[in-house]
């Protein structure tokens, strides 16, 4: 073996790391990125808590302004996408690179990486779509980042029942709702785009194998994180 | 042949780039080589350092000679000067943008962008960063952020008028600040810069953890690498908080949200808490790498191992940890609960402890050494003595009652400049001179370097030391014209003195710029190990090729084995030198499953 | 030319200036120690041919000493400082007999509201004067700080008193002036382009002078 090949090898992961974290670099990098993302959401969520508890009035009652059942369905969709991501990960660990394959003696076909990752992408895209529809409806009703728009349906409701609609702090409510859920939606969108990219460059050409599925593992970490953030946001923004 | 088994079928592009001849664009502009990226950062941030310095000169003109036309001020538009005299709104913009440029686009990228990039792989025996393309993106985003920030000078109403700290609600309300587009550009620029910083930092962290050469154990890492590693951790955790805050501020400005607007239930102090929760770790981002590089240079200049290596490492970690729980000391006068103030006072005072450990250990390193006064060493000594003043003056403001008269006066301006200029910038003069041969294959002129150091040292102290006295006298920060106050009139002569010193200080930097540029072409060719140093980087030719080492090097000992008995008649013993008694380190097994 | 803190003008000046001096002495000793050490080493251990540096990696005893001394000093300093901090800034420290004034800050002026003859704020005989703060010597005063728009900071150097006025917050700051005469009140927090000219005149009166001034104002006096 020549020096050149050796150097070539050493320049690509996995490096001959010593002593190292025992984790390959892409995964370690994703963990570090997630730590930084935790801080980002902490800033937003922390501000929300400070603003809500320091506010001069009560927040709107849960469900008064926001459509909780719709978002509950949407939450379920996102949790499903986490489950399908786990299935995709398990599939490639078992070497199932295919889309669907009939299993003798069983009615349902067995899903492979191509199937489960596609399910994840569809669920993620569905989540964002529902969120966009929700935004359009909310803004249509008069709920904006600046509060209730004057002359809108919600402004009328709020005038009639200021306690239920949290009229005094509607501005803060709108500010924090749109900022937090918006940035979460942005994260989901980025995830779907990354998965789509991986799907066409790596998954369809069957470049992953049980020996090397780093891309799936790394995007999976990100996806579960985004899912977890949503469960926190859904709880504190919609339910309480 | 074991390495063949680890080879991956995909991703050969990088290896190919190592050998194929590269175009100019690929090699110097869209480069993924950590050394080139470091050099790109160097040129860009030196440019922003110059911009920040020019803004400072205008500030000093106004403070020294309020109401007199600025020399050359005629070229500025009527929105900034009137009849050549700086307008109050332009003065506030000068102050705000001087801070912004110096902190975010000069000192931070000079320390982290340049030296984390350039030094980490070279010093730990890695071929490159863990993610070279993310690294390249990090540079381009930083440049984009800098251009967006610069653009704010050319938009209607100009750049921000609320200080580099952008205290809300002033910064959140265009109707109160008079700034519209400039404020948005500031926020957008900071979000982009934050992204760049996070991308850079996650690279540094991953590289240090996973890409150390065999034998480079944690406690064989040079203190510069330790400091840059800890700094990267601070960066990855602190910058997102600023990004979050800047996004909220941006939305307050353009979407009509009310995060920081008390009139609609928002909270003015929330901005300060977020900003300083980022801001204080940021302060350590701006000094820790300087401390690390100075440690390397002092050990080299003293021809002695660093005194108390382990306590130096723990002091870095201690400072970084304490940095997270002291942000409230910027807010002692803000109306925050006084009991909270007491807590922040104690944690702040405790930072003096690891800082003192570092200073005493540098002294301990020089004690009974055999000092070589090369230019980097002189600047490093300058760093130690100036950082000491900066650190000690911090104690005045950490003690809350004494902070009352000193808060937001020129005293804090003196303090920050003793730490950032006397500290970080002297360290940078040292570092630039020290690793110049590694970057460009030539040595900077020593005579000019020494002259530059002594003149800078003198004019620097003449500029910033009197600011303590002016601050004690009560001169508030960021005021356009101190002479309208009766109690400030008696000390106006000192303001004039400071301004003259500052002009001289700026002029002296021409020596440095000349030396830097002239030596690129005409400097003496550097020998392979110009400073007789122990670091891994000196086992490579100057400048080092893309990919650094042909084969991953082995590391045989710690970084500071100067004057070790085994070294024989030499007074240094490099980390890469294999003595007959040394055994090769065993590479660690690869991560399971991959 | 002034080389020190402004002349003392309130009861806070004593402890604060004392603490300032104490810190100056402590840090002065540390500074001299470091700088003299540095210069000594630079001269004494300058490189000469044939000399070799003393090979050592440090000394645990030295580390313990220079960790412990700063730590003890800082904790002691913190305890002493906290005593005065609470005295000056804690809400409970405002003396019961303090006169209350309303100070409302806005871009770029100070509006001072005086309680009038009944010595109570919030009654009909209150009156407001722009950019003039009148107080009585040797009498505790408490200013109720509010802000109209952005953050300002109430700063009277001679009194060693500084307190931000934050929109949406109501902050009380107290002081007791000890010297009669005319002083200045400045804004210490950047509040916009007119920050530098946000200046008010401060008059410290004897009780009789103050009474006379209040009476004159109540009679619709000149500002």
């Amino acid at each position: 073996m020549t020096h050149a090949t050796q150097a070539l090898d050493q320049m690509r992961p996995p490096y001959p790391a010593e002593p190292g974290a025992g984790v390959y670099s892409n995964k370690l990098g994703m963990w570090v990125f997630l730590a930084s993302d935790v801080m980002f959401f902490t800033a937003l969520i922390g501000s929300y808590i400070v603003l809500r508890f320091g506010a001069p009035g009560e927040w709107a009652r849960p469900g008064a302004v926001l459509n909780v059942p719709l978002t509950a369905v949407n939450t379920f969709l996102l949790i499903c996408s986490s489950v399908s991501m786990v299935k995709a990960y398990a599939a490639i660990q078992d070497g199932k690179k295919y889309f669907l394959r009939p299993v003798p003696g069983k009615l349902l076909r067995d899903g492979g990486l191509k199937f489960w990752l596609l399910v994840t992408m569809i669920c993620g895209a569905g989540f964002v779509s529902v969120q966009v529809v929700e935004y359009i409806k909310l803004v249509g009703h008069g709920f904006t980042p600046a509060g209730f728009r004057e002359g809108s349906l919600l402004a009328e409701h709020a005038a009639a029942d200021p306690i239920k609609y949290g009229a005094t702090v509607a501005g803060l409510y709108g500010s924090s709702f749109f900022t937090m859920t918006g940035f979460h939606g942005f994260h989901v969108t980025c995830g779907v785009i990354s998965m789509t990219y991986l799907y066409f460059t790596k998954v369809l050409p069957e470049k992953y194998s049980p020996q090397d599925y780093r891309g799936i593992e790394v995007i999976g970490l990100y996806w579960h994180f985004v899912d977890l953030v949503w469960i926190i946001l859904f709880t504190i923004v919609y339910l309480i | 042949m074991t390495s063949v088994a680890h080879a991956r079928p995909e991703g050969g592009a990088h290896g190919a780039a190592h050998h194929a001849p590269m175009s100019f664009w690929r090699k110097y502009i869209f480069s993924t080589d950590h050394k080139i990226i470091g050099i790109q950062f160097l040129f860009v941030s030196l440019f922003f350092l110059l911009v920040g310095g020019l803004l400072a000169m205008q500030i000093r003109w106004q403070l020294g000679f309020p109401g007199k036309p600025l020399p050359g001020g005629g070229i500025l538009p009527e929105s900034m000067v009137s009849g050549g005299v700086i307008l109050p709104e332009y003065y506030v913009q000068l102050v705000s943008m001087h801070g912004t440029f110096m902190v975010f686009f000069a000192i931070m990228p000079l320390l982290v962008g340049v030296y984390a990039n350039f030094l980490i792989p070279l010093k730990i025996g890695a071929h490159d960063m863990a993610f070279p393309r993310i690294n390249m993106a990090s540079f381009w985003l930083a440049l984009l952020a800098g251009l967006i920030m610069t653009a704010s000078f050319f938009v209607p109403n100009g750049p921000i008028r609320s200080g580099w700290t952008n205290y809300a609600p002033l910064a959140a309300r265009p109707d109160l600040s008079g700034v519209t587009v400039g404020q948005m550009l500031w926020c957008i620029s900071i979000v982009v810069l934050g992204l760049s910083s996070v991308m850079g930092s996650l690279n540094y962290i991953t590289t240090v953890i996973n890409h150390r050469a065999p034998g480079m154990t944690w406690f064989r890492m040079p203190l510069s690498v330790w400091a840059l590693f800890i700094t990267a951790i601070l960066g990855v955790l602190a910058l997102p908080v600023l990004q979050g805050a800047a996004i909220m501020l941006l939305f307050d400005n353009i979407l009509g949200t009310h995060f920081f607007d008390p009139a609609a239930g928002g909270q003015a102090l929330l901005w300060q808490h977020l900003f300083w929760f980022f801001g204080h770790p940021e302060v350590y981002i701006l000094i820790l790498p300087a401390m690390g590089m100075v440690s390397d240079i002092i050990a080299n200049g003293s021809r002695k191992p660093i005194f108390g290596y382990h306590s130096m490492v723990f002091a870095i970690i201690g400072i970084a940890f304490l940095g997270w729980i002291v942000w409230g000391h910027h807010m002692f006068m803000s109306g925050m609960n006084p009991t909270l103030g007491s807590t922040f006072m104690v944690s702040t005072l405790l930072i003096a402890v690891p800082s003192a450990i570092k200073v005493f250990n540098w002294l301990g390193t020089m004690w009974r050494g055999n000092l070589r006064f090369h230019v980097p060493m002189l600047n490093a000594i300058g760093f130690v003595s100036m950082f000491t003043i900066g650190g000690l003056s911090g104690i005045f403001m950490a003690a809350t009652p004494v902070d009352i008269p000193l808060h937001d006066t020129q005293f804090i301006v003196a303090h920050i400049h003793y730490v950032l200029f006397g500290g970080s910038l002297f360290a940078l003069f040292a570092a630039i001179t020290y690793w110049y041969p590694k970057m460009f294959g030539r040595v900077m002129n020593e005579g000019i370097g020494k002259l530059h150091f002594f003149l800078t040292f003198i004019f620097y102290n003449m500029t910033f030391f009197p600011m303590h006295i002016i601050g004690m006298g009560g001169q508030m920060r960021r005021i356009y014209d101190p002479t309208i106050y009766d109690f400030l009139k008696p000390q106006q002569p000192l303001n004039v003195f400071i301004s003259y010193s500052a002009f001289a200080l700026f002029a002296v930097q021409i020596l440095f710029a000349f030396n830097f540029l002239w030596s690129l072409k005409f400097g003496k060719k550097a020998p392979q190990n110009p400073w007789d140093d122990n670091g891994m980087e000196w086992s490579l030719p100057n400048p080092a090729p893309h990919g650094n080492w042909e084969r991953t090097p082995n590391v045989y000992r710690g970084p500071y084995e100067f004057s070790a008995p085994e070294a024989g008649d030499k007074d240094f013993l490099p980390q890469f030198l294999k003595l007959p008694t040394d055994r090769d380190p065993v590479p660690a097994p690869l991560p399971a499953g991959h | 030319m002034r080389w020190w803190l402004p002349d003392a003008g309130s009861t806070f000046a004593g402890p604060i200036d004392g603490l300032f001096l104490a810190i100056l002495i402590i840090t002065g000793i540390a500074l001299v120690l470091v700088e003299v050490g540095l210069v000594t080493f630079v001269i004494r251990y300058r490189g000469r041919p044939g000399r070799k540096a003393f090979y050592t990696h440090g000394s645990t005893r030295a580390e313990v000493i220079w960790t412990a001394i700063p730590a003890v000093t800082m904790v002691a300093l913190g305890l002493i400082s906290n005593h005065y901090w609470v005295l000056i800034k804690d809400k409970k420290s405002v003396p019961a007999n303090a006169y209350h004034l309303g100070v409302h800050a806005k871009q770029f002026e100070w509006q001072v509201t005086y309680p009038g003859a009944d010595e109570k704020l919030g009654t009909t005989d209150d009156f407001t004067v722009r950019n003039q703060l009148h107080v009585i010597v040797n009498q505790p005063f408490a200013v109720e700080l509010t802000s109209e728009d952005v953050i300002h900071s109430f700063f009277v150097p001679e009194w060693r008193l500084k307190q931000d006025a934050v929109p949406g917050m109501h902050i009380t700051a107290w002081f007791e002036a000890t010297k009669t005469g005319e002083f200045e009140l400045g804004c210490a927090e950047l509040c916009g382009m007119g920050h530098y000219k946000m200046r008010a005149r401060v008059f410290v009166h004897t009780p009789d002078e103050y009474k006379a001034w209040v009476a004159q104002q109540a009679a619709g006096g000149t500002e």
Side-chain angles (χ1 to χ4, degrees):
Chain A
M1 182 183 201
T2 63
H3 274 183
T5 3
Q6 225 169 16
L8 189 127
D9 162 57
Q10 307 252 12
M11 284 174 60
R12 268 199 313 276
Y15 289 76
E18 204 279 346
V23 182
Y24 60 93
S25 292
N26 300 28
K27 192 171 166 184
L28 182 62
M30 180 49 82
W31 277 113
V32 176
F33 173 75
L34 291 184
S36 121
D37 230 19
V38 165
M39 294 305 285
F40 178 78
F41 279 108
T42 304
L44 296 187
I45 295 173
S47 303
Y48 168 77
I49 292 170
V50 168
L51 288 172
R52 181 161 178 177
F53 289 99
E58 278 286 311
W59 236 234
R61 299 250 172 83
V65 177
L66 304 172
N67 187 343
V68 177
L70 175 72
T71 312
V73 172
N74 214 11
T75 308
F76 180 69
L77 198 62
L78 199 61
I79 293 173
C80 284
S81 78
S82 247
V83 174
S84 63
M85 182 54 103
V86 172
K87 298 287 275 182
Y89 180 69
I92 191 61
Q93 271 188 321
D94 295 342
K96 301 173 183 172
K97 301 179 185 178
Y98 48 80
F99 191 76
L100 287 170
R101 184 168 287 181
V103 186
K106 278 195 179 170
L107 190 65
L108 288 176
R109 296 184 191 201
D110 184 37
L113 172 65
K114 283 179 196 166
F115 175 74
W116 287 117
L117 195 64
L118 187 67
V119 170
T120 312
M121 282 152 59
I122 290 170
C123 288
F127 175 87
V128 178
S129 312
V130 172
Q131 207 179 18
V132 169
V133 171
E134 185 198 14
Y135 272 26
I136 292 172
K137 286 208 156 180
L138 284 174
V139 173
H141 291 166
F143 188 49
T144 70
F148 298 144
R149 196 174 50 243
E150 251 175 86
S152 67
L153 191 69
L154 271 169
E156 280 171 34
H157 285 321
D161 189 350
I163 305 279
K164 184 181 172 193
Y165 289 91
T168 46
V169 291
L172 285 186
Y173 191 38
S175 305
S176 45
F177 169 78
F178 282 101
T179 308
M180 288 198 293
T181 57
F183 271 94
H184 179 269
F186 175 68
H187 275 76
V188 177
T189 311
C190 289
V192 172
I193 291 171
S194 314
M195 278 192 277
T196 314
Y197 175 75
L198 283 186
Y199 201 77
F200 286 104
T201 57
K202 299 280 185 94
V203 176
L204 285 183
E206 302 199 345
K207 288 200 174 157
Y208 290 124
S209 67
Q211 288 75 44
D212 179 15
Y213 44 82
R214 285 172 291 166
I216 297 298
E217 192 175 11
V218 169
I219 193 77
L221 277 177
Y222 175 81
W223 196 252
H224 296 313
F225 168 77
V226 170
D227 198 2
L228 184 72
V229 170
W230 180 253
I231 291 170
I232 296 171
L233 286 185
F234 180 60
T235 312
I236 63 171
V237 176
Y238 287 83
L239 297 183
I240 53 176
Chain B
M1 291 300 284
T2 47
S3 51
V4 175
H6 308 146
R8 302 262 161 231
E10 88 282 6
H14 199 112
H18 189 23
H19 300 286
M22 286 182 290
S23 69
F24 172 83
W25 286 92
R26 196 68 184 74
K27 195 168 173 192
Y28 295 110
I29 308 298
F30 296 102
S31 174
T32 54
D33 180 358
H34 72 99
K35 299 183 293 298
I36 301 293
I37 294 172
I39 291 169
Q40 289 173 325
F41 263 116
L42 181 63
F43 280 99
V44 169
S45 34
L46 283 177
F47 169 75
F48 283 122
L49 187 71
L50 173 69
V51 173
L54 285 170
L55 299 179
M57 290 305 102
Q58 299 174 57
I59 296 172
R60 273 327 312 177
W61 177 266
Q62 173 61 27
L63 284 180
F65 316 100
K68 296 224 181 88
L70 178 73
I75 58 165
L76 295 172
E78 281 296 303
S79 59
M80 295 175 176
V81 294
S82 161
V85 179
I86 292 174
L87 291 169
E89 48 268 50
Y90 182 52
Y91 178 79
V92 175
Q93 289 171 328
L94 284 173
V95 173
S96 309
M97 295 307 276
H98 168 69
T100 301
F101 274 124
M102 286 306 197
V103 168
F104 292 112
F105 297 100
I107 304 295
M108 186 159 90
L110 271 173
L111 288 169
V112 183
V114 179
Y115 287 102
N117 263 316
F118 192 77
L119 290 183
I120 287 177
L122 282 176
K123 278 196 165 291
I124 63 173
H127 296 280
D128 206 321
M129 285 288 176
F131 314 110
R133 273 178 300 179
I134 292 184
N135 210 20
M136 179 179 81
S138 154
F139 166 73
W140 286 104
L141 284 177
L143 180 61
L144 177 68
L147 293 178
I148 293 173
M149 197 60 91
T150 313
S152 66
F153 275 102
F154 304 100
V155 297
N157 298 328
I160 52 163
R161 292 180 191 170
S162 39
W164 78 280
T165 51
N166 278 280
Y167 274 13
L170 182 60
R173 294 266 306 268
D175 55 325
L176 297 175
S177 66
V179 187
T180 46
V181 189
Q183 189 68 53
M184 295 171 203
L185 290 179
W186 189 90
C187 295
I188 294 167
S189 168
I190 289 300
V191 171
V192 175
L193 183 77
L195 210 57
S196 152
S197 257
V198 168
M199 288 165 105
S201 297
L202 77 88
N203 234 325
Y204 311 144
I205 293 171
T206 312
T207 309
V208 170
I209 292 178
N210 265 4
H211 292 200
R212 279 168 291 135
M216 182 58 84
T217 57
W218 284 104
F219 287 109
R220 277 185 185 172
M221 292 199 317
L223 288 170
S224 52
V225 177
W226 262 111
L228 289 164
F229 174 64
I230 301 292
T231 302
I233 295 178
L234 290 180
V236 100
L237 299 178
L239 264 301
V241 177
L242 178 69
Q243 281 181 304
I247 285 167
M248 288 189 251
L249 186 61
L250 180 67
F251 286 177
D252 270 12
N253 272 279
I254 60 173
L255 287 186
T257 58
H258 303 286
F259 290 108
F260 307 119
D261 180 12
Q267 291 187 25
L269 289 195
L270 176 62
W271 168 265
Q272 291 184 35
H273 279 294
L274 288 170
F275 186 85
W276 290 117
F277 185 75
F278 144 80
H280 211 81
E282 169 72 14
V283 171
Y284 295 114
I285 291 175
L286 298 172
I287 194 72
L288 286 179
M291 289 173 160
M293 294 190 289
V294 159
S295 303
D296 284 11
I297 291 167
I298 286 189
N300 174 295
S302 306
R303 316 309 294 165
K304 255 188 76 189
I306 203 86
F307 198 89
Y309 170 85
H310 284 84
S311 58
M312 288 297 249
V313 172
F314 294 128
I316 293 174
I317 296 172
I319 291 174
F321 173 76
L322 286 171
W324 288 102
I325 51 170
V326 296
W327 80 89
H329 70 219
H330 298 270
M331 300 169 61
F332 283 151
M333 303 303 132
S334 69
M336 178 180 73
N337 186 333
T339 316
L340 218 50
S342 305
T343 323
F344 282 122
M345 165 170 66
V346 174
S347 55
T348 304
L349 285 169
L350 283 180
I351 284 198
V353 177
S355 311
I357 292 174
K358 296 203 78 82
V359 170
F360 289 130
N361 276 323
W362 287 319
L363 281 177
T365 307
M366 290 168 66
W367 170 71
R368 294 184 70 181
N370 191 32
L371 308 189
R372 290 190 188 174
F373 299 113
H374 44 58
V375 178
M377 181 64 174
L378 290 176
N379 279 290
I381 294 171
F383 168 92
V384 174
S385 72
M386 294 301 100
F387 173 76
T388 305
I389 298 181
L392 291 172
S393 70
I395 296 175
F396 289 86
M397 284 162 297
T400 42
V402 181
D403 184 50
I404 298 172
L406 300 180
H407 196 93
D408 271 332
T409 63
Q410 292 284 321
F411 195 91
I412 184 75
V413 178
H415 166 72
I416 190 70
H417 285 94
Y418 262 89
V419 182
L420 271 191
F421 192 140
S424 306
L425 207 51
F426 272 100
L428 278 165
F429 290 140
I432 289 171
T433 320
Y434 196 72
W435 282 289
Y436 193 90
K438 192 89 261 160
M439 286 180 167
F440 306 111
R442 292 175 188 273
V443 189
M444 281 170 78
N445 183 291
E446 183 155 12
I448 305 179
K450 286 187 171 165
L451 185 66
H452 167 256
F453 165 73
F454 286 115
L455 291 177
T456 306
F457 191 81
I458 292 165
F459 289 126
Y460 160 79
N461 277 295
M462 283 166 61
T463 306
F464 294 106
F465 200 84
M467 283 189 192
H468 290 112
I469 295 157
I470 288 202
M472 282 163 62
Q475 183 175 327
M476 294 80 87
R477 283 173 88 174
R478 296 161 173 173
I479 53 168
Y480 167 70
D481 183 358
T483 57
I484 70 162
Y485 289 88
D486 291 332
F487 73 97
L488 294 178
K489 270 182 196 141
Q491 56 187 25
Q492 190 55 22
L494 208 49
N495 262 325
V496 175
F497 174 80
I498 293 174
S499 291
Y500 280 128
S501 310
F503 301 148
L505 180 63
F506 186 83
V508 166
Q509 302 319 307
I510 295 169
L511 283 177
F512 182 81
F514 171 76
N515 196 359
F516 183 89
L517 296 172
W518 183 82
S519 304
L520 284 177
K521 189 107 189 168
F522 305 105
K524 212 170 61 191
K525 279 250 186 240
Q528 180 159 356
N529 195 348
W531 315 106
D532 294 342
D533 194 49
N534 293 336
M536 294 301 291
E537 72 270 34
W538 304 111
S539 66
L540 291 166
N542 297 324
H546 190 183
N548 300 343
W549 287 272
E550 283 272 302
R551 310 181 56 169
T552 305
N554 282 331
V555 182
Y556 296 98
R557 59 185 61 76
Y560 300 119
E561 294 301 303
F562 292 101
S563 305
E566 305 94 298
D569 54 345
K570 287 217 178 84
D571 62 355
F572 65 110
L573 188 53
Q575 289 186 281
F576 49 83
L577 190 75
K578 188 180 180 185
L579 292 179
T581 47
D582 286 327
R583 281 188 303 169
D584 279 332
V586 185
L590 293 164
H594 297 279
Chain C
M1 206 38 244
R2 198 191 310 107
W3 300 95
W4 196 245
L5 295 158
D7 297 339
S10 86
T11 52
F12 296 155
I16 287 179
D17 295 6
L19 209 51
F20 183 92
L21 190 65
I23 297 176
L24 189 64
I25 291 169
I26 295 170
T27 54
I29 292 170
L31 182 67
V32 168
L33 213 69
V34 170
E35 305 292 348
V36 167
L38 211 53
V39 171
T40 313
F41 292 173
V42 162
I43 296 168
R44 205 159 150 211
Y45 303 120
R46 67 190 183 278
R48 277 150 286 174
R51 237 180 120 254
K52 212 166 177 184
F54 172 57
Y55 179 74
T56 173
H57 280 98
S59 139
T60 315
R61 206 171 60 173
E63 299 290 342
V64 170
I65 292 173
W66 60 51
T67 307
I69 293 178
V72 171
T73 317
M74 287 305 124
V75 169
L77 187 59
L79 290 175
I80 300 167
S81 299
N82 195 48
H83 173 75
Y84 294 112
W85 173 246
V86 170
L87 188 79
I88 296 168
K89 290 282 181 180
D90 199 287
K91 268 195 192 116
K92 292 189 231 55
S93 304
V94 181
N97 63 340
Y99 262 60
H100 285 253
L101 301 179
V103 173
H104 188 64
K106 64 180 277 194
Q107 281 182 336
F108 299 98
E109 64 182 47
W110 301 95
Q111 297 175 344
V112 187
T113 304
Y114 296 85
D118 64 353
E119 297 179 2
K120 274 202 189 84
L121 275 175
T123 52
T124 46
D125 67 341
D126 290 0
F127 59 92
T128 302
V129 181
R130 277 178 65 233
N131 290 336
Q132 281 190 35
L133 177 64
H134 294 258
V135 298
I136 306 169
V137 71
N138 297 330
Q139 156 70 40
F141 268 75
V143 290
E144 310 289 345
L145 271 173
T146 49
S147 169
E148 173 87 21
D149 35 41
V150 302
I151 300 175
H152 303 274
S153 192
F154 180 96
F155 178 38
V156 182
E158 285 82 359
W159 293 349
R160 310 289 186 268
L161 180 66
K162 187 178 287 138
Q163 178 58 57
D164 287 4
V166 184
M169 285 174 79
H170 182 111
I171 302 164
T172 308
W174 79 277
F175 57 88
E176 183 180 332
T178 53
K179 232 172 81 178
T180 53
E182 198 186 321
F183 305 95
E184 279 164 305
L185 162 63
C187 177
E189 185 64 79
L190 180 61
C191 55
M193 55 168 269
H195 166 54
Y196 72 103
K197 60 182 177 193
M198 192 164 159
R199 168 178 173 268
R201 290 196 293 165
V202 176
F203 301 89
V204 182
H205 300 288
T206 59
D208 293 340
E209 276 172 19
Y210 184 77
K211 245 179 226 154
W213 180 78
V214 168
Q216 183 201 5
Q217 290 296 317
T222 54
E223 198 181 284

